[in-house]
Structure formats: C-alpha cells, structure tokens
Amino acid sequence: MSQLGTYLLLFGLVVSGYGLLAAAVGAKTGRPALVESARRCAFGLFATVAAACATMLAALLSNDFAIRYVAENSARETPAFFKALSLWAADDGSLLLWNLILAGYIAAVALRFRRDRSPTFPYALSVLFGVQVFYLVLINGPARPFASLANPPADGRGPAPLLQNHPLMAVHPPFLYLGFIGFTVPFAFGMAALLAGQGSDQWVSVIRRWALVVWCFLTVGLLLGALWSYSVLGWGGYWAWDPVENVALLPWLVCTAFLHSVMLQERRGMARLWNIALVIGAFALTTFGTFLTRGNVLSSVHAFTQTSVGPAYLAFVALVLLAGFGLVAWRLPELRTPASLTSAISREGAFVANNVLLLAAAAIILLGTTFPLVVEAVSGQQVTIGGPYFRSSVTPVFLLILLLVGTAPLLPWRATNRSRALRRLRGPVTAAALVMIATAWAGVRQPAAVAGFGLATLVFVANGQELLSGLAIGRRALRGGAVRALARGRRRHAGLVVHLGLALVAAGIIASSSLGQQAQVTLKTGQSTVFAGQVLRYQGLHTDRQPQRIVLTATVSVTNPGGGTAGTLGPRMNLYPAATEPIGSPSIRRGIVWDLYASVISLQRGGGSATFRFYHNPGVNWLWVGGLVMALGGAAAAWPGRRRRDSGDDQGASAVRKRTTVEAGAR
Amino acid sequence: MRRWIPRRRAGLLAGVVAGVAVVVVLLMTALGRDPSVIASPLVGRAAPNFTLPQLDGPPVTLAKLRGQVVVVNFWASWCAECQTEQAALDQTWRQFQDSGVVVIGINFEDSTGAARGYVRADDVRYPVVEDADSRTALAYGLRGVPETFVVNQSGRIVNRVIGPVDAATLATEINSMLATSAQ
Amino acid sequence: MNAAGPLRRARAGLPGLIVLVALAAGLAALVIVAAGGHPPASQAQQVQQIAAGLHCPICKDLSVADSPAPLAQQMRQEIARKLRAGESADQIRARFVAAYGDSVLMSPPRQGVAGAVYYLPWLILAAGLITAFALLRRWLRAPPPGPLQTSPQQASPQTGPPQTGPPQAGPPRASPRTGPPQAGPPQAGPPRASPRTGPPQAGPPAGPPQADPPQLSAAQRRAVARALARLRAEEPG
C-alpha cells in the first residue's frame, strides 16, 4: 500500500505539472485547446489525490504498520473512528488532506468555469496548478506520508493522546483547511487579472461569492477551534493567543475587509487594485501561517513534529509575496481607479473605515505574534508576548469596529441626510446607553466591559432595526410575504444577520473575559465547597478501563442552595500508555447565561481526595450561537439567487465591461 | 505623465523586493534556532543555594560544598529521558568521586516511593535529594526534566544542559575545572 | 407647511436630542465606572494578578494563573509565600526573571528593543488613519464621474455631455448633476423584472437638498416615495 500511495502522489504531481504548463502556455499564446486540456486535468488530479487519501485511510484502518506514518499515529487499540481521524493527526497526513482539498477546489473551479472564455481564466488555472505543484512537491519530497519502515513494528504508537480524546477532531481541521486553502481561488483570479492586464471587474462578482464561502468555512473552523480549546483542553478558556491561533485569525480579518471593500468596487467601481491586493494578502497570510505552524519557528500547542520543510515553506512565502505584490506594484499605474466620493459620512466612507480598522487589528496581531522573532534576531533577547498584550492592544480596535458595525449599516450610499440618520440612530443609541447604565449599576468594574456591552447592544439594535425596516418596506411595497421581502434584499439582509451574530459573539467575549470567576480547591471524598452560589460535593472516583486508555472520572454533585439537585459534573483524567502525564477532560454544565466548568487537576491517595478547578464562565454559549449565526448569514449571502442563472454572472460581467469601456472612453 | 510610469514602477517594485527581503532574512534567522531552547540567565552567576533532604540520609546543603565541583541533576522517575542519562551520571560519579566532585540528583515532582524505587533499580550511589515543593527547581529556572547544572568550585554555574547529558561532555568540563583549580 | 413650522422644527430636532442625551448618559456611566477604582485586592487576588503576568514555563501559551500544571501550582504557592513575607509584586517578578529569563513574563519588559511592541500598535493605527484620511480627501476632491455611470438600460444619459462636474475647489456636494442621481443600485446585472417608473430622477436625492428642487404635487411625491421604497428594498447591500 505504501507503493500504491507513493505512485499515486507522484502521478498527481505529474498531472498538476502538466496542468500548470498547459494552462500557462495556453494563456500566453491564446490556445483554447491547451487550456481545455488543462481544465480537464483538474478532474484527473482530484481523482488521483482522493485515491491516495483513500489508500492512507485503508492503511490506517487495516493497521498497516509497514508505513511509518501509520506506525507513528495509529495503534491497534485505537478506536476505528479515531484511526480514521489520524489521517490528519500529524504533519504528513495533514499535508495529504491539504492536497486533497486543494485539488477539490481546483476541480470545482474547473467545473464552474467550464464555459468561461475570458482571457483571465487560463491564468487563474495556471496559478492554481502552480500552488498545487508546490504542495505535491512537498508531499513527494521532504514530507512523504507513505514512507515505509524496514522493520515494521507489531503495534503502532497511537495518535497523540490529546488528538484522540474528542470527536471535535473530526471537524475542526477539515473546516479550517477548507477555509485556508479556499483563499487560493480568489488569489488565483486576482493574479490572473494582473497577469492578463485586464481590469478586475470581470471577476469581482464571482470571486466575491467564492470568498464568502471560504469566509464561512474559516469562521466555522475558527469557531470549532475555540470550542475545542474550551471543551477539550480543560483550562477554562477558548482562545489562548497561541501563535498558530493568531495566524489563523489573520486571513479571516483580511477576508472580512475584502468582503466589504468589494462592494465599493461593485457599486462605485472604486478600489479595484486594493481588492486584488487584499486577496493576495489573504493568501500570503495563509502561506505564512502554514510556514509558522509547520516550520518549527515558534513554540505552540499546534506545532507539528519537527520536519525539514521549513525552508521550503519560507521559499514559497517569499515567492508568493514577490509575485503577488510585485505584480500589483507593476500594474499600479495602469489599474489605478480614479475614484470620487460625495461625502465621507456615507457607506463608502464606512467601508474605508472598516478596512482600516480590520487591517489594523490584523497588523497588531501579526506584530505581536512575530515580534519575539524580531527581538531575538536583533538583540538575542528571548521574550514572550502573550494573552495580556494582545488583549490590551486589540481591545480598543475591537471596540471601534463594534462602533462602526453599529452605525455604518444606517448610512446610505454617497451621502447622508443628517436628520434621517439621527432618527435611525436614536433607538440603538438609547438602547446602548440603557445597557451601559444597567451594567455599571450591576457592579461591572472594567470600563472596557461596560463600553463593550453598550457597543454590542448598539450593533444588535441597529442591525436588527435595519433588518426589520427592510422587511417592512419590502412587504408594503411589494405586497408579498416576509420571506419574499427577505429574499429580495438577500445580500443586505444576510449581511445584517451576520452583524447580529457578531453582536452576540462580542457580548459573549466581553462577558467571559471580564465577568468570569475561578477557584481551585482540594476536596476529600464526601467533602463539599460553595462556588458560584452552588454547593459542589466530591462524591468519589470511578475507574473505566478502555482498550486504549484508562479513564478516571471524579464525580462531583451540584446542588442549589435551596436544596434541589442541579446535576453532576464528571471531570476526567485519561491515562494513555504513551503519555507520561494524564490528559484531563473537563466537564461542563452549559447554561444560557453561564457555564459551570470543572476540571480535575490531580488525585491524591488513590482518589481519596482530588484537586479541582471550578470555573464560572458567563456568555460562552453566546459565542457559539453567535458564531453559528455569522456563518449561516454568510452562507445565506453566498447562496445563488433565484433569478441569476449560471451565465447571469457572465452577463453581468459583460455589462460591467461595457460600462468601464464607456467610462474609459469618456475620459 | 508617460515618463514617470516606468520610474514609478521601478520604485514601487524596488520597495516590494526590499520588503520581502527583510521578511525573508528575519524568518531565516528564526528557522535557524530551536524555539524550545531558551537560554538560562543563571549561567555565569552564583548557583542558588539549597538544603534538601536526602531520600535516605542527612540533608544536603550546596553552600557546604564550596570548593568542590558539583553536578546538579534534576530528574524524575516518570521521565523516560532521565533513564537514558543515568549511566552517564553514574560513570561521572565513579570517575571523579575521589577528586572531590559531587553529583547530586534532585528529584522533581515525584513521590518518595517512586523515587526510591528508581534509585534502587538503577543502583544510584550518589546523593539523591527530594525537592517536595519545587522551590529549588523554581530557583534554578527549571522548564522540564532532565536538566543538569555544572557548578564550579567557587559556586558559579558554568553550564546548563537541557536533556540527557553524556559522560564525555561532563568529563571534559570537570577535567578543565579541576585543572584550573590545581594551578 | 408653514403653519406648523416651529412645532415641526422641534420634532425634527428631537431625534438629535435623544441621541445626544443617550450618548451623554452612556459616557457618564463609563466615566463613573472608570473613576470608580477597585477595592483593595485580597492576597488570593494578588497572587492571581501576579500569576496572570507570568508565563507557565512548561506550558505553551498559558499564564501561571490559568495553567493546571503542577509546576504552575507550586509557582503560585511560592508567590503566596513571598507575598506573606512582605515582598512586593515587582520583587517577586524579578525573582522569577532572575531564574528563568525575560521570557517568563507574559509581556516583554518595557525597556530595550522589546519595548517597541507597546507603542507600535498605536503607530500602526495612526498610519492607517492618516492613509485613510488622505485617501478620503483625495476622493472627495476628485471630480465625480459624469452621467455615464448608470446601468446600460438607461439609454439617454450615455449620450450626454461628459464631466459637467463642479470645479475642484470647495466641497463637491452641491454639484448639479445633469444625469439622474444614484437613487438606485447601478448594478449592471440582468435587468430586473420589476418595472421602474422611469429614471428615478425626480425623487429627493440621498444627499443634502440640491439648489433647486423641482416642485411636485402631493400625489407625485407619494408615487415617488413608493418607487424609492421599492428600490431600497431591492438593494443588495
């Protein structure tokens, strides 16, 4: 099976190499037959890489320990579910998943654009194949998953204990990768626009939808990562400002900025080159993130085992930056848009502010993540930049962003009528002020939290008000139902729904960061303590022997002060043979307003007494719900409209082209 | 308007190339080092004193060993790598015991029973002490086990090794210290 | 219209007043909270505060306060011991830095190269804001593109004269356009099935009132308002 996998990957490399050359030559010399053959290759490539993945899956499930990856990441006792998930548990396997998803995206592009005759498509195809070639070279060279062992062991080492502890392992990496790798598509089309020398209006409406879908995937991926950190790692929090977490957030911020500034281009023909620069930046950040994660540069919980691929990733990052921004610089004088604005207090102005704030947040996070490297390179000093720094430097920007999200949807295009704007503002601002007063009265002591709650309310009420008024106007004017009214202004309404989700997420973040409590207490069997207004009693230890681990559950009963039993908590310690220390699993009682969270730190006297950490975490569930609302809103915005047929975008593109030529002619 | 386009283009391109070059150089220096190795500020400074109880025997105080070379080794029974360096430490003890070199094993975050079991199983002859509340480990800036500190005759830390030590390195260092003190 | 003048003006000013009052109330609450200060921290809270500023040496990202590791627990006990002995927070931190180096602090020291990380975010934000202002100013000064920016189905404006925009100096807001103002989306998609009541040029523009608004009858105004509402509902955002 090792040989089969190796040959499949090698074949995939050959196919993608041909695709790259054929598309590039076809683009340059204008030969549609070559381009078409390259397009067809995309399907063959996907089939090949999928077959290689299937081979690895089969090897994992059949305990083929002759393959080194299987021997290092799977064991006989591992449950089948987690054996399958071991496919992406370590560096080489996850690279295989990466290649699969990339090949899938290329095949999707090939399918979607099968009737496209524009001059930019072949260039885009060649860029996509180019990126695929890089990752296939890696997987055929330094990071070979199908490398075989001379003396296969009788049993494998098993996956890292932390990675076989929770079913979230099944969804977090795939969604995250779908998000990261998806940025390749807008990047390819942006580069194509630059390479072909064409104005980028042709692709903007299409790429906007691709970017939106990718944004949804990345939102879900990040959310699942936070959920993992909260439900699996047992430290009571969901975001540790780990370097890898930070670099995963950066493309999300840049993509959000892009999704807003692309409307400037659609509506007003402005910011064309800026949008291309944004998609290039987003892709460059994902490659930089891959370098940071796999290149063993910074210490992180996510760092893969050491491999020698660091220099290769660095070279790729350099290539992407040079090619991308170099082309932007080259084309800058030609593709510059002469833009004009009627008033700064308008939606256009708001989008500019949006871009400034989101990119400033991204720049600050990037700065904090990479600064230890800079300091060490310059002065040899080793420093840590951790959570407190990020929290204090990102919070002001985050609050400004909330302020913008709460006021910008009320602004019309071009210029604002002041009285109308004030009328629309009075509800949200009043609600925000009431919440701030209530929060201050309730005893919250951090000004940032009070401001944050007020701003989250502002966002929620402002966007909700716009949504309802849009619904009402739609129903009155069109004499249709609410659903029809919703569907007509779908993009705008979906955007407002995303903002509503953001308000929930913001409220959740602020509540959990400023209002939480924690306590560490050692309890003997039968002993109880009072925490967060409830009585917690340690009832005893329960041992469960499973084939791959021993699970020790410390049962804690939760009673209300009035006397009624509220339930039980069962934080666990999992003892894996491969690990020197037990892996803790927390137990969470989730509630609408707050969670009661327990993890067991250590056991003494064989379970006679146990040290617990109890957490009172308010607002964490608002995070998950709000994040889900954001992702669903994004999906609703990306959903193809009923009236636009498949070629509708081409029609739109050609109409826009007419407009730009007319504009150009008039100047 | 036409003439400034090529110059402006070249200027912008040069800017991009310069920016990318800076980023690449920075990341290349980052690639060159191992992020898990953090330099210890204690090397070259006086070794923090400690008085710790032996597993079986009277307490050991570092200050009382002034004038002798001391090899302080932090270990634990649950640490697999500590097993691999045990032979080297035993050999060092046997080789330099008569020259007045002391090897001290400080048990880190372990139970007395497990520590005794390890000592008995590996037949450790040099003094082994327990650091129950990890105050000594904290004073020495311990980030994990095994870590070994070599202290010279004037009580100054001359080297710190992260991970298992090997007998040859230790021997070279101890010999050089013994030589300088003999002069 | 003139008979109800003052009352109308007062009612028109009401939203602004509400917003102002609400804003003031919210800010007042904020100021009170900010000035409120904290009660003196108990020793347990002090240990938490100091521990939150130290990086757990054997964990990857967690502070000593958050980390469940035994070494972190013992560090917290050490901090408590030193606090009871009368040492200050700075002295305790200095002890750990002496043993572990600067990297044991969760945030770098403010001196030296590393200290730059504290003021660089402000520089970044300032640079972003300055760039944005410069860009906005340039766009505000630029002449608006002529009446050619409408969607292709509106035939007449495309043959009109280009660039009858305002002179460069002064705010271009009151520019009398010769084409229809953009009351609707100029999206060049497939023509929408909903019938437009002709080019929506008679409606009040979204900007400040122009120099000579056309006089319309009440019925005309209602028809225009309906048409505008329909268009706004169609806005894809």
Side-chain angles (χ1 to χ4, degrees):
Chain A
M1 251 190 270
S2 153
Q3 289 199 332
L4 176 62
T6 315
Y7 287 142
L8 279 171
L9 288 176
L10 209 53
F11 182 62
L13 177 60
V14 168
V15 169
S16 61
Y18 170 76
L20 166 66
L21 288 171
V25 169
K28 209 63 178 131
T29 58
R31 305 235 287 267
L34 264 183
V35 175
E36 181 63 20
S37 77
R39 199 187 66 80
R40 298 238 175 90
C41 274
F43 304 112
L45 174 66
F46 178 63
T48 313
V49 180
C53 276
T55 314
M56 179 54 90
L57 210 56
L60 282 165
L61 289 171
S62 66
N63 295 322
D64 183 1
F65 296 122
I67 300 179
R68 190 186 58 201
Y69 183 79
V70 177
E72 288 175 354
N73 293 292
S74 174
R76 287 186 199 278
E77 321 81 56
T78 316
F81 180 67
F82 287 104
K83 265 190 206 158
L85 298 189
S86 305
L87 177 63
W88 51 76
D91 196 10
D92 303 344
S94 66
L95 198 56
L96 190 55
L97 180 66
W98 190 284
N99 276 293
L100 176 69
I101 295 179
L102 184 55
Y105 270 113
I106 301 181
V109 166
L111 188 64
R112 165 74 179 75
F113 289 91
R114 61 187 175 281
R115 285 191 228 113
D116 193 295
R117 300 284 169 260
S118 67
T120 50
F121 173 66
Y123 284 108
L125 201 58
S126 62
V127 171
L128 284 169
F129 275 121
V131 175
Q132 178 83 69
V133 162
F134 169 70
Y135 284 107
L136 280 172
V137 163
L138 274 184
I139 210 172
N140 277 301
R144 292 171 41 231
F146 289 104
S148 58
L149 288 172
N151 299 319
D155 196 1
R157 205 166 60 186
L162 209 50
L163 300 178
Q164 53 169 316
N165 226 10
H166 200 277
L168 268 177
M169 178 66 181
V171 279
H172 166 51
F175 269 103
L176 205 62
Y177 283 11
L178 279 169
F180 280 160
I181 300 164
F183 284 112
T184 318
V185 176
F187 168 72
F189 278 92
M191 291 290 280
L194 292 174
L195 286 166
Q198 304 254 337
S200 59
D201 285 339
Q202 283 94 328
W203 59 265
V204 77
S205 66
V206 175
I207 287 310
R208 184 195 65 84
R209 195 171 286 139
W210 279 94
L212 196 46
V213 169
V214 170
W215 181 90
C216 289
F217 283 136
L218 192 52
T219 307
V220 174
L222 288 170
L223 214 61
L224 288 173
L227 188 62
W228 175 316
S229 185
Y230 185 70
S231 314
V232 179
L233 294 183
W235 61 284
Y238 47 83
W239 191 268
W241 296 104
D242 179 81
V244 172
E245 290 173 4
N246 295 345
V247 294
L249 188 56
L250 297 176
W252 186 87
L253 291 168
V254 175
C255 190
T256 310
F258 170 71
L259 288 172
H260 288 87
S261 75
V262 81
M263 288 189 257
L264 277 174
Q265 185 173 347
E266 279 185 310
R267 292 293 215 98
R268 303 290 309 276
M270 289 158 59
R272 281 195 214 117
L273 207 57
W274 175 247
N275 286 328
I276 300 184
L278 279 180
V279 294
I280 293 178
F283 180 70
L285 281 170
T286 59
T287 49
F288 177 69
T290 318
F291 165 71
L292 225 54
T293 312
R294 295 165 188 263
N296 196 29
V297 176
L298 286 170
S299 170
S300 157
V301 274
H302 297 85
F304 287 96
T305 47
Q306 304 196 18
T307 54
S308 53
V309 289
Y313 281 116
L314 179 58
F316 190 54
V317 172
L319 180 66
V320 166
L321 287 173
L322 270 175
F325 290 116
L327 263 177
V328 169
W330 188 257
R331 296 282 188 207
L332 188 67
E334 295 162 16
L335 291 181
R336 248 307 195 35
T337 328
S340 104
L341 208 60
T342 315
S343 156
I345 314 290
S346 61
R347 202 166 299 171
E348 293 96 322
F351 285 152
V352 171
N354 162 297
N355 269 235
V356 167
L357 288 175
L358 283 169
L359 291 178
I364 293 172
I365 296 177
L366 181 61
L367 173 75
T369 310
T370 52
F371 209 67
L373 299 175
V374 174
V375 171
E376 196 170 348
V378 169
S379 71
Q381 194 187 8
Q382 284 170 316
V383 291
T384 309
I385 296 184
Y389 169 79
F390 286 107
R391 272 191 289 272
S392 63
S393 50
V394 169
T395 301
V397 183
F398 177 54
L399 292 176
L400 284 174
I401 291 176
L402 281 181
L403 180 63
L404 194 63
V405 180
T407 49
L410 309 173
L411 297 175
W413 289 96
R414 289 190 179 260
T416 311
N417 179 327
R418 199 172 61 150
S419 66
R420 195 176 297 144
L422 284 174
R423 213 175 321 133
R424 282 164 155 178
L425 265 179
R426 64 181 170 184
V429 176
T430 317
L434 287 174
V435 165
M436 282 170 80
I437 294 170
T439 325
W441 195 55
V444 175
R445 289 196 175 279
Q446 297 99 320
V450 171
F453 280 123
L455 288 171
T457 315
L458 180 74
V459 172
F460 195 81
V461 177
N463 285 276
Q465 169 187 291
E466 287 301 296
L467 194 60
L468 289 175
S469 79
L471 276 174
I473 291 179
R475 286 168 66 180
R476 259 205 319 266
L478 308 169
R479 280 180 241 106
V483 179
R484 266 229 296 182
L486 263 178
R488 275 198 174 250
R490 189 176 40 84
R491 267 179 65 181
R492 173 169 168 81
H493 295 139
L496 295 174
V497 168
V498 172
H499 291 165
L500 289 178
L502 178 67
L504 266 179
V505 168
I509 293 177
I510 297 163
S512 54
S513 337
S514 53
L515 303 177
Q517 299 169 39
Q518 70 180 49
Q520 181 166 319
V521 59
T522 307
L523 296 172
K524 294 200 271 278
T525 321
Q527 198 181 355
S528 64
T529 179
V530 177
F531 177 73
Q534 292 183 307
V535 177
L536 304 165
R537 170 178 281 108
Y538 173 39
Q539 296 186 314
L541 196 68
H542 169 77
T543 311
D544 175 24
R545 277 169 217 284
Q546 296 178 353
Q548 80 277 23
R549 60 183 178 178
I550 303 176
V551 182
L552 305 167
T553 312
T555 325
V556 174
S557 70
V558 183
T559 340
N560 288 322
T565 325
T568 41
L569 287 166
R572 310 195 311 266
M573 281 201 132
N574 305 288
L575 307 169
Y576 288 91
T580 49
E581 285 179 19
I583 310 283
S585 290
S587 173
I588 310 172
R589 282 180 54 78
R590 299 180 200 265
I592 298 179
V593 181
W594 60 282
D595 285 357
L596 181 61
Y597 184 111
S599 57
V600 57
I601 308 291
S602 61
L603 298 164
Q604 299 91 27
R605 297 180 296 168
S609 87
T611 310
F612 294 99
R613 277 200 146 195
F614 296 116
Y615 298 83
H616 164 89
N617 288 327
V620 181
N621 292 314
W622 306 342
L623 244 174
W624 317 131
V625 173
L628 188 62
V629 169
M630 283 175 82
L632 289 176
W639 205 262
R642 248 180 306 134
R643 233 179 270 126
R644 283 178 201 243
R645 302 177 311 276
D646 215 29
S647 54
D649 291 314
D650 293 346
Q651 265 197 35
S654 67
V656 171
R657 225 177 298 143
K658 252 193 266 171
R659 179 181 98 196
T660 35
T661 26
V662 170
E663 268 184 336
R667 277 189 207 106
Chain B
M1 195 83 145
R2 254 180 227 253
R3 224 171 286 132
W4 61 256
I5 291 181
R7 241 189 303 153
R8 183 143 181 221
R9 246 184 230 196
L12 286 169
L13 261 183
V16 169
V17 172
V20 174
V22 166
V23 168
V24 170
V25 165
L26 171 70
L27 296 178
M28 262 180 10
T29 57
L31 267 181
R33 6 151 258 107
D34 184 355
S36 58
V37 172
I38 303 182
S40 168
L42 287 175
V43 176
R45 301 230 293 266
N49 189 23
F50 57 82
T51 304
L52 294 173
Q54 278 192 65
L55 281 179
D56 297 295
V60 175
T61 307
L62 184 66
K64 295 211 180 109
L65 297 168
R66 188 64 63 89
Q68 291 172 274
V69 173
V70 186
V71 176
V72 179
N73 170 253
F74 287 89
W75 65 281
S77 65
W78 43 261
C79 156
E81 291 191 321
C82 304
Q83 299 265 9
T84 59
E85 67 169 1
Q86 195 54 51
L89 288 165
D90 285 332
Q91 184 183 335
T92 311
W93 171 247
R94 277 194 307 272
Q95 191 176 345
F96 292 99
Q97 187 176 0
D98 300 322
S99 321
V101 174
V102 183
V103 178
I104 303 179
I106 302 186
N107 189 227
F108 171 73
E109 284 183 9
D110 214 347
S111 68
T112 317
R116 281 217 186 93
Y118 179 99
V119 164
R120 213 168 298 140
D122 280 28
D123 194 25
V124 178
R125 304 293 182 85
Y126 54 77
V128 173
V129 298
E130 276 187 290
D131 184 20
D133 50 10
S134 297
R135 292 181 77 172
T136 310
L138 290 176
Y140 274 79
L142 212 69
R143 288 177 186 269
V145 281
E147 271 187 43
T148 309
F149 294 81
V150 182
V151 184
N152 72 1
Q153 296 92 330
S154 32
R156 206 162 283 279
I157 297 178
V158 295
N159 194 12
R160 180 202 61 168
V161 180
I162 299 178
V165 288
D166 74 301
T169 328
L170 272 181
T172 326
E173 283 203 28
I174 297 175
N175 274 324
S176 69
M177 279 189 285
L178 289 173
T180 48
S181 81
Q183 286 157 6
Chain C
M1 185 163 148
N2 288 325
L7 190 62
R8 206 150 180 265
R9 273 199 296 275
R11 266 202 297 159
L14 195 58
L17 194 63
I18 294 178
V19 170
L20 215 59
V21 166
L23 213 57
L27 286 174
L30 204 59
V31 166
I32 292 174
V33 168
H38 299 248
S42 70
Q43 197 190 55
Q45 285 173 326
Q46 278 181 314
V47 171
Q48 273 298 95
Q49 277 168 16
I50 299 175
L54 291 172
H55 182 223
C56 163
I58 57 176
C59 320
K60 298 290 183 177
D61 316 295
L62 298 179
S63 68
V64 172
D66 289 331
S67 168
L71 187 64
Q73 197 169 329
Q74 284 159 329
M75 279 175 86
R76 289 193 294 270
Q77 286 166 355
E78 180 76 4
I79 295 172
R81 262 196 298 267
K82 293 290 186 254
L83 273 176
R84 276 196 296 271
E87 289 192 16
S88 73
D90 285 330
Q91 284 172 312
I92 297 175
R93 272 191 287 265
R95 266 182 195 277
F96 283 112
V97 171
Y100 284 96
D102 282 321
S103 62
V104 78
L105 296 171
M106 273 300 244
S107 304
R110 287 183 180 261
Q111 308 82 20
V113 180
V117 83
Y118 291 105
Y119 58 79
L120 281 174
W122 298 111
L123 282 181
I124 291 172
L125 198 54
L129 288 170
I130 291 172
T131 319
F133 274 124
L135 206 63
L136 282 174
R137 218 162 48 152
R138 179 153 25 130
W139 286 347
L140 282 170
R141 290 235 181 91
L148 301 162
Q149 204 176 337
T150 55
S151 37
Q153 57 261 36
Q154 296 185 339
S156 51
Q158 293 192 353
T159 54
Q163 299 297 49
T164 52
Q168 299 290 60
R173 280 160 159 248
S175 61
R177 296 249 182 89
T178 54
Q182 292 294 341
Q187 191 89 302
R192 304 226 175 199
S194 66
R196 291 232 184 99
T197 53
Q201 60 203 43
Q210 296 194 339
D212 272 315
Q215 294 299 339
L216 301 168
S217 74
Q220 280 178 314
R221 277 202 297 272
R222 277 197 299 273
V224 156
R226 268 203 308 274
L228 268 178
R230 205 173 303 147
L231 286 168
R232 259 195 225 108
E234 286 177 351
E235 270 187 41

